[in-house]
Amino acid sequence: MFFDIIKNRIEQKNRTSKYPKKEIELPKNYRGLPKINTNCSIEIVEKCADVCPQDAINIENKTIDLRKCTFCGLCEKVSNGKFVTFTRNFEMASTKSEKLILNGEVENLKVSTNKSFKKMFGRSLQLRVVSAGGCNACEADINVLNTPFYDLSRFGIQFVASPRHADGLLITGPVTKNMEYALKKAYKDIPDPKIIIASGSCALSGGPFRNNIEQINGVENILKVDLFVPGCPPHPLTLLSAILDFFGIK
């Protein structure tokens, strides 16, 4: 039995990703950071806006709101790539909500990161995950970060069971009215200083549930958010790169 385990380990080798020391190339069908052609005709942009199920496209400014975008790819399809093409770049988080209204460039987190956060949490970070509504797709991809391939703990980052043991909250979902009190209480229970990460289209804008009377259109409406991570759900690498850049762990 013992030798079988050793044999399997030798045959399987180390499966943990080398990221961020080594770049990862995601599959061709992955839709990451949109590349926008602002020279595109207004007629094509209008077609894209018409098919966008999230109303994420501003026709006049020729922008895409990544807070709302679910990366369905319909805009790329109807414009034949003339207005927008989705790249395989998974690094697209921001510290400012308004900077996710994209016309070509995305914030460089390495430059804009709060240096005090780097100093305080750069080597040991405990996060409490709160699902504040939503469909659980975000939670599924967050759980993937604990698998051997990503091995989140090698960066000194762990998910904890109680907000009293946490340095911050990682929040998903649009924040349903039933979860609003629980979320505020979890925030209150975390010792200062604390950070708030909103992950996924729902947490950033309400996502597909936006303007439903049973939710409040995202975390920012009740708490100050330090890091915004777009996606529906965000790819595990999108969330991982955002946290590593924000805390200067890379």
Side-chain angles (χ1 to χ4, degrees), residues 4 17 94 136 154 173 225-226 245-246:
D4 287 342
S17 166
S94 176
N136 289 334
R154 66 190 158 122
V225 177
D226 300 294
D245 279 337
F246 185 70

Side-chain angles (χ1 to χ4, degrees), residues 31-92:
R31 298 190 191 100
L33 183 66
K35 183 179 180 181
I36 297 172
N37 176 19
T38 53
N39 296 319
C40 176
S41 71
I42 201 73
E43 290 77 14
I44 293 177
V45 181
E46 287 175 343
K47 285 183 180 178
C48 294
D50 286 342
V51 299
C52 179
Q54 298 300 315
D55 294 326
I57 297 175
N58 184 302
I59 298 172
E60 183 179 352
N61 297 327
K62 296 182 180 178
T63 59
I64 293 180
D65 190 341
L66 292 189
R67 298 170 299 184
K68 300 177 181 177
C69 181
T70 56
F71 298 77
C72 65
L74 286 176
C75 51
E76 182 182 35
K77 185 176 180 180
V78 299
S79 71
N80 291 319
K82 292 179 180 177
F83 172 55
V84 57
T85 54
F86 286 89
T87 71
R88 282 184 278 173
N89 182 2
F90 52 80
E91 297 179 340
M92 49 185 156

Side-chain angles (χ1 to χ4, degrees), residues 22 65 68 78 97 125 129 142 145 147 155 161 164 168 182 199 211 216 218 226 249:
K22 185 178 179 180
D65 190 341
K68 300 177 181 177
V78 299
S97 175
L125 177 67
V129 179
I142 288 172
L145 290 175
T147 60
F155 301 108
R164 296 179 188 276
S199 182
N211 298 329
I216 64 168
D226 300 294
I249 300 174

